[in-house]
């Protein structure tokens, strides 16, 4: 177990340094690095109060992990899942809020985002020690447990109830985005006006760099572990990426990643290698990066067209980059890549 955690830390540090690296010269910023929520986390804040603010942020992240983990036996999600088909569980505000949001997002994405996907994610071993390819029959059995209508929430009593035994929920596609929103809130309360935080593939920036220029967030090239597809220059927003290269395993030469198509119960195969969302709301961005990987380029573009709140970068297997017009000016393609860039208009 220890070996596995160490290997994971090394792997994730490597992925982190290769992918969402900030190409910024950062001097005199307070910094905390930690491992939580199954990912490497890097927090940096400028200003006199930086260190104190980051310590509070670190505490909050650890607290949220204790609430949302699917595997920690004391977590609220664990309690909800253990009590599936038995009894409603009273949860704290954070947990209730996020599950309520997840239900709204299910509607918004037409079912692409579904936290009741947990039994399927588990069958593939993504929340277990050992990843594996489940049989077709097992996938079908688990899919029968995926049912948003049987996830009941009661706002008056702050309770959550899964109607059927063996149902389960998994906030893995949204929790890190929510954590980044909470961290931003804390940092702002502490008077921080310049900060950058990264939770694995989830980057969030406050204000601009201390020298007044925008933050540069590199977007990983999904076809080259060491390289970047390009750079986004941003301020006061979140840049959140989901991709086929983030968490996966290989069997008989085929690659299986961790973003599950709610219709098939298998890793989404929409021709997309990664989806990056630029959005002020980190929870929304995290949810969208996961669900647009499932929805694909066409439906993802439609989601963008019906909302004014976020920008998208799609990277496809065909070596194309599609970028929505609202953020196209912020993006610079890396000269060393062979991607063809197209702009999506409203
Ligand atoms: P990461 O957590 O690596 O940053 P994502 O944000 O894309 O990646 O979230 C992927 C996680 O979301 C999976 O590990 C699983 O826990 C969960 N998940 C997978 N498929 C779905 C889906 N269709 N809807 C909601 N959550 C999902
Ligand atoms: Mg996500």
């Amino acid at each position: 177990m220890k070996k596995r955690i160490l290997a994971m830390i090394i792997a994730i540090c490597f992925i982190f340094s290769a992918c969402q690296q900030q190409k910024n010269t950062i001097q005199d910023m307070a910094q905390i690095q930690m491992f939580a929520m199954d990912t490497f986390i890097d927090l940096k804040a400028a200003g006199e109060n930086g260190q104190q603010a980051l310590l509070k942020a670190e505490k909050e992240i650890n607290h949220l992990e204790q609430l949302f983990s699917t595997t920690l036996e004391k977590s609220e999600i664990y309690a909800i899942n253990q009590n599936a088909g038995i009894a409603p569980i009273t949860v704290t505000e954070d947990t209730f809020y996020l599950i309520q949001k997840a239900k709204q997002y299910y509607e918004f994405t037409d079912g692409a985002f579904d936290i009741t996907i947990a039994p399927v994610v588990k069958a593939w071993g993504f929340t277990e020690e050992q990843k594996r390819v489940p049989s077709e029959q097992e996938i079908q059995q688990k899919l029968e447990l995926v049912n948003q209508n049987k996830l009941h929430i009661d706002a008056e009593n702050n309770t959550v109830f899964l109607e059927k035994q063996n149902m389960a929920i998994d906030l893995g596609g949204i929790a890190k985005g929510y954590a980044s929103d909470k961290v931003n809130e804390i940092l702002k309360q502490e008077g921080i006006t310049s900060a950058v935080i990264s939770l694995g593939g989830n980057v969030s920036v406050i204000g601009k760099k201390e020298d007044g220029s925008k933050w540069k967030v590199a977007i990983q090239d999904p076809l080259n572990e060491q390289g970047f597809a390009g750079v986004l220059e941003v301020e006061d927003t979140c840049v959140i990426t989901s991709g086929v290269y983030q968490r996966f395993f290989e069997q008989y030469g085929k690659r299986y990643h961790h973003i599950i198509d709610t219709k098939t119960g298998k890793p989404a195969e929409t021709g997309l290698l990664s989806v990056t969302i630029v959005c002020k709301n980190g929870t929304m961005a995290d949810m969208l990066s996961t669900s647009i990987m499932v929805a694909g380029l066409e439906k993802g573009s439609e989601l963008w067209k019906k909302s004014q709140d976020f920008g998208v970068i799609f990277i496809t297997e065909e070596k194309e980059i599609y970028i929505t017009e609202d953020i196209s000016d912020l993006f610079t393609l890396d000269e060393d890549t062979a991607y063809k860039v197209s702009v999506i208009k409203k």
Side-chain angles (χ1 to χ4, degrees):
M1 183 67 188
K2 264 192 186 151
K3 241 178 159 180
R4 189 175 158 254
I5 291 175
L6 189 70
M8 218 154 69
I9 293 176
I10 293 169
I12 288 172
C13 286
F14 178 73
I15 292 168
F16 169 76
S17 62
C19 75
Q20 297 283 356
Q21 187 191 73
Q22 285 77 50
K23 289 183 168 175
N24 307 292
T25 8
I26 296 165
Q27 287 163 342
D28 302 327
M29 288 184 94
Q31 179 176 27
I32 288 182
Q33 295 186 322
M34 61 192 283
F35 190 84
M37 301 182 113
D38 216 14
T39 202
F40 177 75
I41 296 176
D42 185 66
L43 312 169
K44 293 190 191 84
E48 264 175 38
N49 206 20
Q51 189 64 21
Q52 189 192 321
L54 291 186
L55 285 170
K56 285 195 179 168
E58 180 184 27
K59 208 169 150 199
E60 177 68 12
I61 292 170
N62 286 326
H63 168 66
L64 294 176
E65 178 174 32
Q66 297 291 321
L67 294 181
F68 299 153
S69 167
T70 46
T71 49
L72 291 176
E73 294 187 7
K74 283 191 180 142
S75 89
E76 294 191 339
I77 299 304
Y78 193 87
I80 293 166
N81 292 344
Q82 285 296 109
N83 284 281
I86 303 171
I89 293 295
T90 306
V91 294
T92 52
E93 252 168 54
D94 284 311
T95 306
F96 191 84
Y97 172 84
L98 203 51
I99 293 174
Q100 191 175 33
K101 272 277 159 219
K103 280 186 88 67
Q104 291 168 10
Y105 291 149
Y106 171 83
E107 299 296 332
F108 181 71
T109 62
D110 202 15
F113 189 79
D114 189 344
I115 57 169
T116 69
I117 195 71
V120 182
V121 174
K122 193 172 175 194
W124 285 91
F126 284 112
T127 39
E128 305 298 294
E129 283 279 302
Q130 194 68 38
K131 298 181 182 60
R132 57 190 270 274
V133 180
S135 70
E136 196 61 51
Q137 192 191 4
E138 191 181 353
I139 291 174
Q140 291 313 318
Q141 276 172 357
K142 301 296 177 192
L143 272 177
E144 280 171 29
L145 298 165
V146 179
N147 189 338
Q148 191 75 205
N149 297 325
K150 290 193 163 63
L151 163 61
H152 303 285
I153 57 173
D154 175 352
E156 250 170 53
N157 301 303
N158 267 19
T159 58
V160 180
F161 179 49
L162 291 164
E163 198 180 306
K164 214 164 139 188
Q165 226 169 8
N166 297 320
M167 277 183 78
I169 52 173
D170 173 352
L171 299 179
I174 194 174
K176 291 200 288 289
Y178 182 67
S180 66
D181 284 340
K182 293 286 284 199
V183 166
N184 278 349
E185 219 175 273
I186 289 170
L187 299 186
K188 284 178 183 165
Q189 272 166 12
E190 293 293 312
I192 302 297
T193 53
S194 175
V196 56
I197 65 167
S198 170
L199 296 87
N202 300 8
V203 174
S204 162
V205 302
I206 293 180
K208 292 183 182 172
K209 286 193 277 178
E210 279 186 295
D211 66 8
S213 62
K214 287 187 181 177
W215 296 101
K216 289 182 180 156
V217 182
I219 308 302
Q220 155 118 46
D221 180 349
L223 297 172
N224 172 11
E225 253 179 52
Q226 322 284 336
F228 305 116
V231 170
L232 275 170
E233 289 193 53
V234 291
E235 63 185 296
D236 262 321
T237 198
C238 300
V239 179
I240 295 191
T241 300
S242 289
V244 296
Y245 56 85
Q246 280 174 327
R247 287 167 208 246
F248 65 88
F249 67 99
E250 280 175 19
Q251 191 168 302
Y252 305 125
K254 190 167 160 55
R255 193 180 263 214
Y256 299 94
H257 63 81
H258 70 318
I259 299 166
I260 306 294
D261 186 328
T262 42
K263 292 205 176 79
T264 63
K266 295 176 185 166
E269 284 188 75
T270 49
L272 294 177
L273 295 175
S274 74
V275 171
T276 298
I277 305 292
V278 180
C279 178
K280 285 197 186 298
N281 183 320
T283 311
M284 174 106 180
D286 194 4
M287 176 284 292
L288 281 169
S289 68
T290 309
S291 29
I292 292 182
M293 280 296 295
V294 175
L297 176 61
E298 212 170 298
K299 284 191 183 153
S301 308
E302 281 165 26
L303 282 180
W304 171 73
K305 282 176 189 164
K306 75 177 183 186
S307 166
Q308 307 288 325
D309 300 338
F310 61 89
V312 192
I313 301 175
F314 306 82
I315 303 186
T316 77
E317 286 167 355
E318 305 296 323
K319 298 208 170 91
E320 300 150 328
I321 293 181
Y322 291 90
I323 182 162
T324 55
E325 62 180 343
D326 51 339
I327 57 165
S328 60
D329 287 348
L330 310 178
F331 182 72
T332 309
L333 183 72
D334 192 297
E335 284 169 4
D336 297 333
T337 64
Y339 289 105
K340 180 176 162 282
V341 181
S342 310
V343 176
I344 302 175
K345 301 207 159 105
K346 277 256 153 91

